[in-house]
Amino acid sequence: MKPIVTAMDIFQSEKSYIGHIIPTIIGIQKKLHSCSEKTIKPLIQALSRGIEKRFGPVLENEEYLLATAIISQFKLNFLSDEQKKYLIKEKLLAYIKEMNQELEKSGLFNLYLIANVKRFFWLTINNTQHYCLIIVY
């Protein structure tokens, strides 16, 4: 039951964000599936079903996927499906471009996509360059 306790600690932490949910759930599922002890197999199956029922939709939710992808600790590494990685990356880029258009309209600042878009974006405010912590790959 240690994976469940660890997950609860992560979720209750003040340093936990919405982007931590999917990797934590995936970790719990892997730990539960790797347990081969026959005496607690019914308990593990019940926990697995409960987690799938409660968090199944979260694992496919675009907002949760995008939130996880922008955390540098996870990026897109939590996804095993290459097609899904590509789709999330494209949605993230589209969102950033949309955000840039909105910011340009407001006249506050512009987000410029420059040469090395594989790692980060530049954020320019008042002609001063800053790193924007959005990791795409």
Side-chain angles (χ1 to χ4, degrees), residues 100 104 109-114 117 120-124 127:
N100 185 45
E104 282 179 351
F109 57 89
N110 295 327
L111 182 67
Y112 295 99
L113 304 181
I114 61 163
V117 294
F120 58 86
F121 296 92
W122 289 96
L123 180 63
T124 304
N127 296 325

Side-chain angles (χ1 to χ4, degrees), residues 1-131:
M1 295 303 93
K2 186 170 175 134
I4 304 294
V5 173
T6 303
M8 289 173 63
D9 289 343
I10 291 170
F11 290 151
Q12 294 174 22
S13 168
E14 290 184 22
K15 296 179 182 178
S16 182
Y17 302 101
I18 191 172
H20 289 98
I21 294 174
I22 291 177
T24 303
I25 296 303
I26 291 172
I28 291 172
Q29 289 175 325
K30 285 181 181 178
K31 289 281 189 183
L32 289 175
H33 291 296
S34 70
C35 186
S36 59
E37 215 174 302
K38 291 182 181 181
T39 56
I40 59 170
K41 194 163 186 144
L43 175 62
I44 289 173
Q45 290 173 340
L47 284 170
S48 293
R49 283 192 305 272
I51 289 170
E52 181 60 36
K53 183 178 179 181
R54 170 61 180 93
F55 292 102
V58 170
L59 296 173
E60 300 298 320
N61 184 293
E62 187 177 291
E63 288 180 10
Y64 285 84
L65 291 167
L66 290 171
T68 304
I70 63 172
I71 295 178
S72 61
Q73 176 183 359
F74 305 119
K75 302 178 189 174
L76 295 172
N77 298 327
F78 67 99
L79 293 170
S80 56
D81 180 5
E82 291 299 318
Q83 180 67 23
K84 201 171 209 175
K85 284 183 182 182
Y86 176 79
L87 291 172
I88 293 300
K89 183 175 64 172
E90 290 301 312
K91 289 195 181 278
L92 184 59
L93 287 170
Y95 177 76
I96 291 168
K97 288 176 184 177
E98 180 184 320
M99 183 178 69
N100 185 45
Q101 290 173 350
E102 292 297 317
L103 293 172
E104 282 179 351
K105 287 178 190 174
S106 70
L108 294 176
F109 57 89
N110 295 327
L111 182 67
Y112 295 99
L113 304 181
I114 61 163
N116 193 4
V117 294
K118 289 182 181 179
R119 296 205 167 264
F120 58 86
F121 296 92
W122 289 96
L123 180 63
T124 304
I125 303 173
N126 299 331
N127 296 325
T128 305
Q129 292 182 340
H130 301 278
Y131 292 104

